[in-house]
């Protein structure tokens, strides 16, 4: 953990380069000292079927969900959420300065009993 999951409208495909954003996300969360690098992962999912507002073809959307493991304080979660959203909005500025786009973000904390994972990458970063 954490997982950064982006869903974006297909009409943004040619305008987005996710690798710099993912790098910024990873560097930021690791810098907090609350998240180990070996557990951070990011992915972007293109949505071919979508509708924004009244359906204009030039309207776009991007939604980020950040899933984190249980146990971090509300203060830390709020600080992380605010900083991640700022990183996201700064990265999206070329889009929002020139076109209409809905940007949304939610940080969710996973249930401590109902979340399962197996990760052999952690050992590489010890």
């Amino acid at each position: 953990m954490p997982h950064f999951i982006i869903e974006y409208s297909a009409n943004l495909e040619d305008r987005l380069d996710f690798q710099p954003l993912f790098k910024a996300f990873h560097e930021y969360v690791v810098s907090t000292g609350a998240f180990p690098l070996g557990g951070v992962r990011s992915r972007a999912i293109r949505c071919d079927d979508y509708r924004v507002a009244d359906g204009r073809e030039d309207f776009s959307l991007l939604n980020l969900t950040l899933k984190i493991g249980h146990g971090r304080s509300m203060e830390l979660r709020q600080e992380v959420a605010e900083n991640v959203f700022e990183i996201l909005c700064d990265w999206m500025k070329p889009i929002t300065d020139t076109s209409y786009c809905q940007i949304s973000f939610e940080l969710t904390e996973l249930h401590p009993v109902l979340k399962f994972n197996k990760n052999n990458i952690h050992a590489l970063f010890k």
Side-chain angles (χ1 to χ4, degrees):
M1 283 293 143
H3 293 244
F4 293 92
I5 305 164
I6 295 176
E7 300 166 305
Y8 66 96
S9 56
N11 62 349
L12 291 174
E13 178 77 22
D14 296 334
R15 301 176 68 190
L16 301 176
D17 179 7
F18 288 105
Q19 291 309 314
L21 177 64
F22 294 161
K23 183 176 190 291
F25 283 162
H26 289 220
E27 288 176 352
Y28 167 68
V29 296
V30 170
S31 78
T32 68
F35 305 96
L37 178 59
V40 185
R41 54 204 92 160
S42 297
R43 55 200 173 272
I45 303 162
R46 175 182 151 146
C47 298
D48 291 319
D49 296 314
Y50 64 91
R51 182 179 177 92
V52 177
D54 63 0
R56 294 181 207 184
E57 290 184 17
D58 59 333
F59 286 177
S60 60
L61 67 88
L62 185 138
N63 176 68
L64 170 63
T65 301
L66 171 55
K67 296 181 180 185
I68 65 169
H70 177 75
R72 287 149 183 111
S73 70
M74 177 56 79
E75 293 78 21
L76 177 65
R77 286 182 281 158
Q78 183 174 357
E79 178 183 325
V80 167
E82 289 170 357
N83 287 321
V84 164
F85 191 62
E86 182 177 351
I87 292 167
L88 176 63
C89 289
D90 287 348
W91 178 77
M92 284 293 292
K93 197 163 177 19
I95 304 293
T96 57
D97 282 353
T98 60
S99 60
Y100 296 102
C101 183
Q102 296 175 340
I103 301 172
S104 55
F105 167 61
E106 180 182 15
L107 185 150
T108 60
E109 182 181 57
L110 299 174
H111 192 279
V113 175
L114 302 176
K115 179 200 94 58
F116 301 87
N117 68 317
K118 181 177 179 178
N119 181 347
N120 64 358
I121 296 175
H122 283 296
L124 296 174
F125 294 99
K126 291 192 181 203

